[in-house]
Amino acid sequence: MTSAKGADLSSWPAAVSGVSKDPELEARVAAVLSSMTLDEKVGQMIQAEIQFVTPLEAAKYGLGSILNGGGSVPGKDKRAAPARWRELAGEFETAMRSRSGVAVPLLWGTDAVHGHNNVFGATIFPHNIGLGASRDFALTARIAEATAREVRATGLHWTFAPTVAVARDARWGRTYESYSSDYGLVRKFAFEHIVGLQGAPRSSNFLDSDRVIGTAKHFIGDGGTDLGIDQGDTKLDDSELVRIHAPGYYAAIEAGVQTIMVSFSSVNGKKLHDHRRLLTDILKDRLGFDGIVVSDWNGIGQIPGCTNSNCPEAVNAGIDMFMVPEDWRELHRNIVTQTKAGTIPVARIDDAVTRILRVKARYGMLDSSIRSGGGSTLPETSVIGSPEHRALAREAVRKSLVLLKNANKALPLAPTARVAVVGAAANDVGRQSGGWTLTWQGSGNEPADFPGATSIFEGIRNALSQHGGSAVLGLPAEDAPKPDAILLVVGEEPYAEGEGDLESLNYPLDAVTRDAIETSRARGIPLVTVFVSGRPRIVNTLINASDAFVAAWLPGSEGAGVADVLVGASKAVPKFDFQGRLPFDWPLDYLSTTKDEQNLRQRTLPIDWGLTYASGISGNIPVLPESPVDTDDDNRLLRIFDRRAVAPNQMFVGDSGNWRIPAVGQDSTSSDGVLTVRTIDRLRQGDSRQLEWNGRGEGIFYFETTTPRDLREWISRGAALALDIKVQRPPTRAVTMRAHCVYPCGAEANITPALRKAPRDEWVRFSIDLSCFVKSGLDPSKVTTIPLLSTDGRLSMAISNIRLIPNAAETATVSCMSR
Ligand code: BGC
Ligand code: BGC
């Protein structure tokens, strides 16, 4: 089938919307629309961030929406009480009501992605990956309903959830927001989650006062990017996109989802925020989605030629509401001007505003009884972190645990057991909750930030102390009596989005873990490992050393759910059985770490794997191959540039005027101006450098240490030199990458083809086998300079994150090239 515009839509089946258009409601929307000025219409299309807008300003502009970003809270007070949230919501509502002109209430959106997670004292549920493991769809609906209640209790209206991403490469930092790599499962979870948030479409509780508006995100293919790079490029044809990444959206539309968020990522090199075909021809026209298409945080600024505040392309592509936290005033002005000038058709503005008003009308906001913050119909703030919600979260924790190994009947623990509990995640609610918890990254939280929560250790201690057992933190002293078991609770530290992207899934063991393994071995004490992580990691050494191994994902505030399953009613008689099954393949191979369907070498515990007590109490898996890197934490990566040159490296620019000028401070230019280096922001402030070669002679950019370093160990570990690059203007002449072993000793590789092939204006990972340099003459025992980039042509590119990565030579993106 072909649309009027000629786009081929044949791969896209039509969707069945759960919500039908109500003629009366549509008429009301049309009436409100026709009473609005252009300024007011554009106001509806703006979503500002609470730190950058006051209630009075929101009213002045007639804003359609506000949001609080990850970790952004009223008064910047992390421990702000629910009443404070409600008060602020009320202030916005009052201001909107009393504005002169058309008074339409605004929607306050938040990332309530595993509970109302920005709010102090809220129930923190397991992240989606854990719910995926539970395979319990009805449970997910109940959790979404409870979350909606907590969100409503603070006076907010909208959550940017669920993520319906199908994560296909666990190196992606958002894997834990994905239910599964199996799109069939994602489809079912998406449906239930949305029904839980919004109420069932066509039922009397649909968008009722204790429900919130949901968002399916991030449209589309966010989980399918090349190498699992966050905000990267998904290279798939339509039929694969439809098969793998669309099911969540079909389900969401069936469930009546009212908003869909656009992905930062690209499809086949084109940014979704600029993708008219996918946003308008497909999502709106073909799939019939009649709600709001909202942009992601400054996502429009990533479109070539756009900034955060100026991007008619994004409006014309079909985005209805603009999440532009800070620069929204200028954006408002620009959209108004561009509409007056005809760059943006008025019909496009009317379509966007109609959709926004439609959603508000469905939520009862265009009725006389405006439903908003402070209203009498809101749930009591006591629902936030209530015993009922915590019990529900604990049930979810119980159901999400996956038993990978249980040798020698190490589990369940007898209720009378004496257990030594160790590991960085044992007694740390922040760590067991992961990213998007009180702060964006989930880092920087302390016990006092989680009133009412229970750590995994506390849960175990409570369960054991009730029956004469005991749990103490720390390994037993050598002369102390042997405990019945060592419980090791380790795993990942919290992260969110691109900050969690990995090169390799190899999990390095820390010192405490090695001690625990050693003590268990030396004294013959059973070792039970609970692994807390946002994704599977390669932990063969630890699995081998453990008698029992449990994947707990990111359980959230109710750590007691772990003890429910690990501690039995009596020895060998469990209280609760395991019901979780792997939602992703669990890789067991050191060489290849991608979930690459063509890679037959890959060994995994396959998706759906999960032992139970019932199926024989004891389960075992064969001894797994181990790698030396597995037990090496400190030297896992050799960082050369990480927001700045990492000591002892220093960064230099050079040209024939002076080959050695330190590149310090914000900007530097080589002596004759051939090369300029500017500090730019990618994921974090100042974390990258923009390099511009003007083509008037040779210009070089390099990292050097005063004392030569011995990199032979890295060669033997199969290391690759990796950097993230973004090529804006490809090289006009040859570009070399060099390494020196005290100049002029050295070697070079021709990277011109790789730079020419790199996608334009997009961050990609560039890596090269370190031994390429050795093969062409580098003495690895005394390296001073690595890498050096040189060209005498013109070239614009940005670089970030330069490091040596062990075991990555085989998967390097650039092969050794002759000179
Ligand atoms: C905000 C997050 C947002 C992120 C995007 C952070 O500063 O708090 O909500 O997702 O920026 O880069
Ligand atoms: C994330 C979204 C989130 C938004 C608002 C973005 O950085 O990609 O998932 O909803 O920030 O915090």
Side-chain angles (χ1 to χ4, degrees):
M1 189 200 180
T2 300
S3 84
K5 294 174 204 85
D8 176 21
L9 308 179
S10 54
S11 308
W12 297 83
V16 184
S17 175
V19 185
S20 42
K21 281 210 182 109
D22 169 357
E24 223 175 278
L25 182 148
E26 295 297 321
R28 201 158 358 122
V29 165
V32 175
L33 180 75
S34 66
S35 68
M36 294 176 116
T37 63
L38 177 61
D39 270 45
E40 285 176 327
K41 289 178 183 176
V42 176
Q44 284 299 310
M45 296 169 68
I46 301 280
Q47 182 176 60
E49 213 280 344
I50 59 165
Q51 309 301 338
F52 304 103
V53 63
T54 62
L56 279 180
E57 267 180 308
K60 180 179 152 214
Y61 281 87
L63 293 193
S65 180
I66 54 172
L67 88 151
N68 66 296
S72 170
V73 297
K76 295 199 178 156
D77 174 7
K78 189 184 187 183
R79 301 192 184 162
R84 178 75 193 89
W85 289 79
R86 205 154 152 157
E87 201 177 288
L88 185 58
E91 286 165 25
F92 275 101
E93 187 200 343
T94 310
M96 295 306 288
R97 265 209 193 121
S98 50
R99 78 182 295 268
S100 55
V102 180
V104 176
L106 56 69
L107 292 169
W108 181 341
T110 192
D111 293 284
V113 299
H114 61 147
H116 197 3
N117 46 64
N118 286 298
V119 175
F120 183 64
T123 313
I124 305 295
F125 293 93
H127 267 297
N128 288 352
I129 191 170
L131 301 181
S134 78
R135 302 292 198 280
D136 193 331
F137 311 111
L139 172 72
T140 297
R142 283 154 64 211
I143 289 174
E145 200 178 327
T147 302
R149 221 175 285 130
E150 295 205 11
V151 172
R152 284 306 285 146
T154 53
L156 280 57
H157 318 94
W158 178 7
T159 174
F160 307 128
T163 297
V164 302
V166 181
R168 303 291 274 189
D169 186 326
R171 291 178 296 178
W172 187 33
R174 304 191 81 154
T175 300
Y176 64 79
E177 296 184 59
S178 170
Y179 291 105
S180 176
S181 59
D182 175 346
Y183 48 83
L185 288 177
V186 171
R187 187 185 168 103
K188 293 187 185 147
F189 280 112
F191 186 88
E192 295 297 330
H193 193 140
I194 291 159
V195 167
L197 291 173
Q198 302 191 346
R202 301 202 174 93
S203 77
S204 61
N205 62 27
F206 184 65
L207 293 179
D208 208 352
S209 61
D210 57 354
R211 305 286 175 154
V212 293
I213 292 164
T215 303
K217 71 184 188 185
H218 308 83
F219 189 81
I220 187 175
D222 52 349
T225 59
D226 210 20
L227 307 174
I229 294 174
D230 190 45
Q231 310 189 0
D233 188 20
T234 298
K235 298 173 180 158
L236 290 178
D237 64 23
D238 260 27
S239 64
E240 291 293 276
L241 204 57
V242 170
R243 184 175 69 89
I244 301 168
H245 297 284
Y249 295 96
Y250 281 93
I253 291 171
E254 260 168 59
V257 79
Q258 292 299 296
T259 77
I260 290 181
M261 190 185 292
V262 182
S263 180
F264 282 125
S265 57
S266 304
V267 167
N268 300 321
K270 188 165 178 65
K271 282 279 177 194
L272 264 313
H273 279 78
D274 187 24
H275 216 304
R276 185 177 186 148
R277 177 170 179 270
L278 281 165
L279 300 185
T280 298
D281 299 348
I282 290 171
L283 179 58
K284 290 181 171 178
D285 294 347
R286 180 77 175 149
L287 270 55
F289 174 65
D290 68 3
I292 302 169
V293 173
V294 61
S295 63
D296 202 345
W297 183 281
N298 284 334
I300 60 171
Q302 296 189 13
I303 298 174
C306 286
T307 64
N308 296 342
S309 60
N310 190 350
C311 194
E313 291 90 333
V315 186
N316 289 337
I319 294 173
D320 304 313
M321 183 172 276
F322 292 84
M323 187 192 289
V324 172
E326 196 171 348
D327 305 324
W328 57 269
R329 293 171 197 81
E330 222 181 314
L331 176 68
H332 182 276
R333 195 179 331 120
N334 284 330
I335 297 180
V336 169
T337 310
Q338 286 151 357
T339 308
K340 285 182 180 155
T343 315
I344 300 170
V346 176
R348 179 67 269 278
I349 301 290
D350 285 349
D351 171 55
V353 180
T354 298
R355 289 163 177 274
I356 293 162
L357 295 176
R358 177 182 294 136
V359 171
K360 291 181 176 180
R362 285 177 176 161
Y363 200 34
M365 288 180 136
L366 298 192
D367 301 345
S368 48
S369 59
I370 289 169
R371 235 192 245 141
S372 195
S376 54
T377 49
L378 294 187
E380 296 296 326
T381 52
S382 60
V383 302
I384 294 167
S386 68
E388 294 75 26
H389 289 181
R390 290 188 187 278
L392 178 60
R394 181 168 171 174
E395 176 187 345
V397 174
R398 228 155 40 215
K399 292 177 166 174
S400 65
L401 304 175
V402 182
L403 181 63
L404 297 190
K405 174 179 180 180
N406 190 20
N408 315 316
K409 302 191 180 183
L411 288 176
L413 298 165
T416 51
R418 287 166 305 111
V419 179
V421 183
V422 291
N427 196 21
D428 188 336
V429 176
R431 211 161 148 147
Q432 77 198 26
S433 298
W436 297 106
T437 308
L438 294 177
T439 62
W440 177 38
Q441 291 292 318
S443 46
N445 293 322
E446 45 178 292
D449 290 324
F450 298 102
T454 308
S455 72
I456 293 173
F457 164 69
E458 289 165 337
I460 296 282
R461 190 187 52 194
N462 296 347
L464 292 174
S465 63
Q466 282 168 25
H467 299 95
S470 66
V472 290
L473 281 174
L475 285 173
E478 261 170 55
D479 52 359
K482 257 177 34 168
D484 297 313
I486 296 171
L487 177 65
L488 170 68
V489 191
V490 282
E492 295 185 328
E493 284 176 37
Y495 52 81
E497 302 190 40
E499 307 271 323
D501 281 4
L502 286 176
E503 300 292 341
S504 149
L505 289 176
N506 287 350
Y507 176 84
L509 303 188
D510 62 13
V512 175
T513 301
R514 289 199 296 263
D515 276 2
I517 293 175
E518 189 41 45
T519 307
S520 146
R521 236 175 236 153
R523 300 189 61 188
I525 309 166
L527 178 64
V528 174
T529 299
V530 171
F531 197 68
V532 172
S533 67
R535 55 189 150 199
R537 295 288 300 258
I538 302 171
V539 280
N540 294 12
T541 305
L542 185 54
I543 296 178
N544 286 342
S546 304
D547 295 275
F549 189 98
V550 176
W553 318 112
L554 298 169
S557 59
E558 306 314 306
V562 175
D564 287 344
V565 188
L566 266 56
V567 179
S570 65
K571 180 67 196 156
V573 180
K575 255 199 299 218
F576 291 95
D577 203 347
F578 286 90
Q579 93 165 45
R581 288 184 282 139
L582 286 179
F584 291 88
D585 287 345
W586 190 290
L588 302 171
D589 197 311
Y590 285 92
L591 292 176
S592 86
T593 53
T594 55
K595 160 86 185 70
D596 181 343
E597 282 166 347
Q598 295 111 43
N599 192 338
L600 299 174
R601 274 185 325 180
Q602 172 111 16
R603 273 161 299 174
T604 61
L605 289 176
I607 184 167
D608 284 335
W609 173 277
L611 303 170
T612 59
Y613 292 135
S615 70
I617 297 281
S618 184
N620 209 346
I621 51 179
V623 176
L624 305 169
E626 297 186 12
S627 148
V629 184
D630 191 26
T631 53
D632 177 359
D633 48 344
D634 300 327
N635 293 321
R636 191 164 58 105
L637 290 182
L638 183 71
R639 296 186 190 279
I640 298 169
F641 176 86
D642 183 11
R643 305 164 90 181
R644 59 186 69 86
V646 177
N649 293 280
Q650 292 173 282
M651 191 163 65
F652 298 95
V653 292
D655 61 24
S656 59
N658 181 345
W659 292 111
R660 197 180 156 78
I661 294 184
V664 287
Q666 279 295 107
D667 302 340
S668 335
T669 305
S670 63
S671 166
D672 292 345
V674 174
L675 170 64
T676 37
V677 178
R678 275 187 305 115
T679 301
I680 55 164
D681 306 341
R682 180 193 176 196
L683 297 170
R684 287 188 270 173
Q685 197 178 3
D687 62 356
S688 308
R689 296 293 180 275
Q690 178 67 40
L691 311 176
E692 306 281 346
W693 276 269
N694 70 9
R696 299 198 202 101
E698 184 186 0
I700 60 176
F701 171 73
Y702 59 102
F703 293 84
E704 199 161 270
T705 56
T706 323
T707 320
R709 264 171 315 181
D710 186 350
L711 296 184
R712 281 175 297 185
E713 169 79 17
W714 291 86
I715 301 283
S716 70
R717 283 203 209 156
L721 168 68
L723 46 153
D724 297 344
I725 62 167
K726 176 161 95 170
V727 177
Q728 291 98 340
R729 186 149 24 86
T732 53
R733 293 171 56 82
V735 186
T736 56
M737 180 178 274
R738 300 182 199 153
H740 288 145
C741 29
V742 191
Y743 185 80
C745 167
E748 67 183 41
N750 173 9
I751 60 165
T752 326
L755 297 185
R756 290 204 172 128
K757 262 190 294 177
R760 271 324 85 78
D761 294 314
E762 212 177 289
W763 284 102
V764 288
R765 209 167 285 174
F766 171 102
S767 64
I768 180 166
D769 181 353
L770 197 57
S771 67
C772 292
F773 294 105
V774 179
K775 281 175 204 140
S776 49
L778 180 75
D779 176 350
S781 71
K782 46 169 190 156
V783 177
T784 48
T785 313
I786 190 164
L788 178 150
L789 292 172
S790 165
T791 185
D792 56 7
R794 287 156 64 86
L795 166 64
S796 306
M797 68 185 274
I799 57 116
S800 183
N801 203 9
I802 308 181
R803 66 276 183 212
L804 298 184
I805 307 165
N807 285 345
E810 284 201 29
T811 49
T813 60
V814 174
S815 53
C816 290
M817 273 167 305
S818 55
R819 311 184 33 175

